[in-house]
Amino acid sequence: MELIKDGKRIDGRAPDELRPIKIEAGPLYRADGSCYLEWGGNKIMAAVYGPKEAIPRHIQDSTKAVINARYNMASFSVEDRKRPGPDRRSQEISKITAEALENVILTEMFPRAVIDVNIEVLDADAGTRCAGITAAAVALADAGIPMRDIPVACAAGKVDGVVVLDLLGDEDKKGDADLPVAIAPRSEEILLLQMDGHMTVEEFDEALELALKGCREISKLQKEALLKKYKTFEEE
Ligand code: ADP
């Protein structure tokens, strides 16, 4: 299967183009903060609870809040029904998500507390770890959790020898490389960087630049979603 034809990708995008993204802040009533995000073929709900006292007590840290991130894929979110419950992949994604978020949340303000970050993937088509971090960041801001910045994530990669932004499912499966990146957008400090596949150093530099460009675009959408919620709130 040809992934790039006449300079266009299988969904008609240019190499440096993102899939369509829609972000809604605060759709859940009971969570302290939430976000619903659609990104290409991904549909993700993020819900934040806390800060609240960490129980059992042995998980408490007397100097800062613990970030308890849980990434989960619904069994109907992928083509072949996924066995429900945690697996190695979701455990790994939960861990890297918590680590990325921990770096921007002012955890020292809440000793002995826990902040639960739940990420439910309802529909998956590649890039769900980036979509999960992006949605979780909006949910954290919606919950009023103090952060240095609103983190954002986006992947770039290589398909058919071309460096591209934001791989979709078939590009991820049949492509040459995938490079998910999360940043704190104001300082452009890197919070997460992973890669599978192979690229030359030049291609890696190009892909990283492209992922940063994607992050900057998505960061604007996150802020618009938060502003929209609070504007509606004020009007009511
Ligand atoms: P990411 O979603 O962050 O790109 P991966 O590269 O591990 O993470 O997964 C790429 C895509 O593969 C997922 O978005 C999903 O569409 C698909 N996928 C992941 N796990 C499964 C699974 N257990 N069964 C079927 N498809 C899966």
Side-chain angles (χ1 to χ4, degrees):
M1 183 178 171
E2 245 184 309
L3 294 173
I4 300 206
K5 215 172 156 187
D6 303 328
K8 294 266 183 214
R9 297 156 69 181
I10 41 182
D11 59 351
R13 274 184 296 157
D16 67 346
E17 210 177 314
L18 287 169
R19 292 177 283 179
I21 299 179
K22 256 179 23 195
I23 307 179
E24 185 188 349
L28 298 180
Y29 183 69
R30 283 182 185 81
D32 292 321
S34 59
C35 172
Y36 175 65
L37 178 144
E38 290 183 2
W39 180 338
N42 296 314
K43 293 194 175 73
I44 300 211
M45 186 68 86
V48 166
Y49 296 84
K52 57 187 180 181
E53 189 187 357
I55 295 171
R57 284 184 128 194
H58 69 82
I59 67 164
Q60 291 183 355
D61 183 327
S62 59
T63 61
K64 59 182 198 303
V66 174
I67 309 301
N68 176 31
R70 183 175 161 277
Y71 165 104
N72 182 55
M73 266 186 149
S75 53
F76 50 78
S77 68
V78 290
E79 245 162 70
D80 326 304
R81 180 179 181 278
K82 185 198 163 285
R83 243 184 100 187
D87 50 25
R88 284 188 58 157
R89 177 177 170 278
S90 60
Q91 282 169 15
E92 181 240 348
I93 298 179
S94 299
K95 179 171 181 287
I96 54 129
T97 300
E99 285 168 0
L101 299 173
E102 236 163 41
N103 272 300
V104 287
I105 298 172
L106 302 180
T107 51
E108 325 75 69
M109 288 176 69
F110 308 105
R112 300 183 204 286
V114 64
I115 298 170
D116 285 329
V117 180
N118 296 281
I119 296 164
E120 291 290 325
V121 179
L122 307 173
D123 231 344
D125 189 41
T128 59
R129 73 193 63 210
C130 291
I133 291 171
T134 300
V138 173
L140 284 162
D142 180 43
I145 310 266
M147 294 187 279
R148 283 192 288 122
D149 202 349
I150 300 172
V152 58
C154 183
K158 184 168 101 168
V159 300
D160 279 359
V162 180
V163 173
V164 298
L165 182 62
D166 185 23
L167 279 66
L168 57 72
D170 277 336
E171 292 177 327
D172 185 51
K173 266 185 246 147
K174 295 167 193 146
D176 310 321
D178 186 25
L179 177 82
V181 180
I183 61 164
R186 268 194 299 191
S187 57
E188 297 211 333
E189 181 188 345
I190 292 175
L191 304 170
L192 166 79
L193 184 114
Q194 296 183 302
M195 184 176 127
D196 56 53
H198 51 90
M199 285 195 264
T200 65
V201 173
E202 288 76 25
E203 286 166 342
F204 175 87
D205 288 343
E206 197 187 329
L208 181 59
E209 233 1 278
L210 210 47
L212 292 177
K213 174 182 110 71
C215 284
R216 287 180 205 119
E217 287 176 31
I218 301 159
S219 174
K220 281 192 204 137
L221 302 177
Q222 287 175 308
K223 286 178 189 143
E224 277 167 23
L226 286 160
L227 281 173
K228 188 170 169 208
K229 171 171 174 191
Y230 287 96
K231 210 166 148 245
T232 320
F233 194 60
E234 260 177 23
E235 281 165 3
E236 271 169 7

